[in-house]
Amino acid sequence: MNNLKMVLKNISKRKGIYFLIMIQVMVSVWLLLTRIDAIEKINKIEKNVESAISKDSSRILHLTIIEEGTKPKDFLKFREEVLDKELLEYIAFNMYGSISIDEFCNNSKYKDMKNEFKEEIPMDDGNINTLGIENGIENLIKLNIVKGRNLNDEDFKWYEKGNTVPALGGYGLYRYGLIDIGDKLKDKYENIEYEIVGIIDEDDKWFFDNDMSNSEMRHLKDTLIFPINSKESYGTVYVPTMHYFGAISGNKSSEEAIAELEKISKKHNVQIGFETLKRSIERGKEVVENEFKYYLIFSILFLIGTTFGITVMIVLLLNSRKHDIGVRIAVGASFKDIKRMISGEILFVNILSTLIVSTIYFIQEKILFVMDNEVVNMMDINLLTFISVIVGVAFMCILPIYIVTKRLSKFNPSELVGGRE
């Protein structure tokens, strides 16, 4: 405790230079932390995808509409032939949106739920998140039904029969008593009625922007999931430029399936890109990793430069403290005590700076990823990130301490007696 008090007292006497050192250390640690943590998140993308889908990503095809002017009739003929030949089990997309539910307007439970999930209550009271899915996606999403049932093929024919729209409800809606199995909810602006047929688990989540090749996901606990009316989806002039997905049927390899799909797409004059979801993820990782590789190199070079800068500042500070060191030796302190004192100052400043910047980074991550109900890998202090930061901080401590030790060993009594603080 006495040593800590002495270190703090010495730092307070020279707070200007130590403040500059702290700033340098914090910037270096921040750069290193963000780069390493980002690379670790990228490496977890495939794991996240596999945990959220019900099939192997190498058996899921990612289809992208290349030509924005693709006509719906051409695309639908293409899809019909693909399904008839059983090349894919389905070709479908999903999309996020929102609706306003009459029953939720001016409902205190609805407002309590929105507050818990850290979302701003929309200007339109009763607004709720929705996930519309085409037939097939319900078999791809790994949903855990805690009450009721999942959507089935018949549910996607609701618009043909003029029935209410069957829907799955997020567990948060159920927990707050806003929905239950069999409840019917009326859209405030559209003449559409939704019937709750199932409740999904609170931890269920899905990809944020209809693109499974990135890691951005969101919880579905405050979301209604319902089948999309395909007739309306393709009733426009052009095909919706979405990310489409399909599961490969039978025992065909992905290469065989893609080759046949390309032939059918040319036949129907639609330009579509095909690749497995696994390859799509790998390609996305490669692009981001290449970009972050240069950022990481810059961060390491900055850390090395900072270390030498800190070392120079500590040596200059040491030269200005000769008188103070001489007085301490005169009253009984050894060179070992002096080395321990200055090393303690360097360690304290570096560790404190690291703790401050790590805390700020963690809080920032938590705030950013709670917004919009997104579920992105937060800073979970994975092994590589932890080791990298420790090694970086150790490097910034060891070199200055080593140089100080060498410099102190060259001091002689006459220097210390004649030195001025």
Side-chain angles (χ1 to χ4, degrees):
M1 182 61 71
N2 289 333
N3 288 334
L4 179 59
K5 287 181 179 178
M6 181 176 65
V7 166
L8 291 174
K9 184 178 179 181
N10 289 335
I11 290 174
S12 65
K13 285 182 180 179
R14 302 160 184 89
K15 50 182 172 289
I17 194 166
Y18 276 119
F19 177 75
L20 291 175
I21 291 173
M22 283 186 69
I23 294 297
Q24 292 181 71
V25 173
M26 289 172 71
V27 171
S28 294
V29 173
W30 179 271
L31 288 173
L32 190 63
L33 190 61
T34 53
R35 301 309 180 241
I36 297 294
D37 194 46
I39 290 174
E40 281 297 291
K41 288 175 183 176
I42 293 164
N43 291 332
K44 289 182 180 178
I45 290 176
E46 188 168 359
K47 182 180 178 181
N48 291 340
V49 171
E50 297 292 355
S51 70
I53 63 177
S54 60
K55 291 195 175 184
D56 182 355
S57 60
S58 65
R59 301 294 296 170
I60 303 296
L61 286 189
H62 184 187
L63 290 71
T64 308
I65 304 295
I66 298 175
E67 176 55 58
E68 294 184 1
T70 300
K71 301 293 189 296
K73 63 177 183 178
D74 296 330
F75 178 79
L76 292 175
K77 286 178 181 178
F78 159 79
R79 184 165 75 170
E80 184 179 358
E81 183 171 345
V82 169
L83 298 180
D84 285 345
K85 290 186 175 181
E86 297 184 344
L87 290 175
L88 300 178
E89 294 175 12
Y90 56 84
I91 296 177
F93 73 88
N94 61 259
M95 61 181 180
Y96 283 100
S98 64
I99 56 175
S100 291
I101 301 297
D102 253 343
E103 290 78 1
F104 295 168
C105 294
N106 302 315
N107 188 319
S108 60
K109 293 179 180 179
Y110 163 83
K111 293 180 180 179
D112 290 341
M113 183 196 70
K114 286 291 184 180
N115 287 332
E116 181 194 337
F117 297 156
K118 310 299 181 186
E119 294 184 15
E120 293 183 9
I121 299 176
M123 293 178 63
D124 186 4
D125 189 21
N127 187 283
I128 198 75
N129 292 322
T130 63
L131 175 63
I133 58 177
E134 278 196 309
N135 196 358
I137 296 291
E138 79 281 5
N139 297 318
L140 180 60
I141 306 176
K142 191 183 290 183
L143 294 176
N144 299 297
I145 306 297
V146 297
K147 191 174 183 181
R149 63 173 177 83
N150 202 344
L151 297 175
N152 56 45
D153 290 342
E154 287 300 311
D155 291 328
F156 288 83
K157 300 175 183 177
W158 63 267
Y159 55 88
E160 296 175 357
K161 301 175 182 178
N163 296 337
T164 57
V165 183
L168 303 177
Y171 193 83
L173 294 165
Y174 172 73
R175 177 158 56 86
Y176 272 91
L178 293 167
I179 60 170
D180 204 344
I181 301 299
D183 285 355
K184 293 186 178 180
L185 308 173
K186 187 69 177 296
D187 191 315
K188 186 176 178 182
Y189 299 109
E190 301 278 346
N191 187 28
I192 298 177
E193 189 175 58
Y194 299 87
E195 181 178 358
I196 305 300
V197 298
I199 305 295
I200 63 174
D201 189 82
E202 189 161 18
D203 291 329
D204 284 348
K205 48 191 176 290
W206 192 239
F207 301 90
F208 180 67
D209 194 25
N210 191 42
D211 184 0
M212 300 179 204
S213 61
N214 65 52
S215 63
E216 289 192 0
M217 306 174 79
R218 65 184 298 166
H219 279 299
L220 300 173
K221 55 191 173 184
D222 64 343
T223 302
L224 287 182
I225 304 173
F226 58 82
I228 292 176
N229 182 335
S230 293
K231 286 186 176 179
E232 289 185 2
S233 299
Y234 297 96
T236 57
V237 178
Y238 303 116
V239 174
T241 53
M242 301 286 185
H243 296 268
Y244 292 82
F245 296 92
I248 299 173
S249 303
N251 297 319
K252 283 186 181 293
S253 68
S254 59
E255 291 79 9
E256 291 172 332
I258 289 174
E260 291 190 46
L261 288 167
E262 287 175 341
K263 290 178 183 178
I264 298 173
S265 66
K266 289 179 181 177
K267 173 183 173 182
H268 293 288
N269 195 32
V270 292
Q271 296 185 45
I272 302 176
F274 305 96
E275 66 180 347
T276 63
L277 179 56
K278 186 179 184 68
R279 177 54 193 150
S280 181
I281 295 165
E282 290 171 349
R283 187 168 47 78
K285 284 171 58 178
E286 289 167 5
V287 171
V288 180
E289 282 177 347
N290 286 334
E291 179 182 348
F292 271 92
K293 180 168 62 179
Y294 296 108
Y295 287 131
L296 182 59
I297 293 171
F298 170 77
S299 301
I300 293 172
L301 292 176
F302 189 90
L303 184 143
I304 293 171
T306 296
T307 303
F308 282 105
I310 291 172
T311 303
V312 171
M313 293 174 73
I314 291 294
V315 169
L316 292 174
L317 182 61
L318 183 64
N319 289 333
S320 71
R321 295 174 67 177
K322 290 179 182 178
H323 177 73
D324 178 50
I325 292 171
V327 170
R328 289 180 184 276
I329 291 175
V331 296
S334 65
F335 269 102
K336 188 175 181 179
D337 293 329
I338 301 300
K339 292 173 187 176
R340 188 184 298 116
M341 177 187 71
I342 297 176
S343 297
E345 294 172 18
I346 296 170
L347 287 169
F348 181 84
V349 169
N350 276 267
I351 292 171
L352 178 62
S353 302
T354 303
L355 289 174
I356 290 173
V357 78
S358 298
T359 302
I360 293 172
Y361 182 72
F362 178 80
I363 292 172
Q364 173 203 261
E365 291 280 283
K366 188 171 183 180
I367 291 173
L368 286 178
F369 299 134
V370 164
M371 291 172 62
D372 285 335
N373 215 15
E374 287 182 33
V375 185
V376 184
N377 287 324
M378 289 167 48
M379 190 185 75
D380 50 3
I381 309 299
N382 54 71
L383 186 60
L384 180 58
T385 303
F386 181 76
I387 292 174
S388 300
V389 171
I390 294 298
V391 170
V393 174
F395 181 73
M396 287 189 287
C397 292
I398 291 171
L399 184 61
I401 290 173
Y402 174 77
I403 298 297
V404 164
T405 301
K406 282 290 186 181
R407 185 76 183 91
L408 279 172
S409 65
K410 294 180 180 180
F411 280 172
N412 56 60
S414 62
E415 270 191 292
L416 298 178
V417 171
R420 294 191 311 169
E421 187 169 13

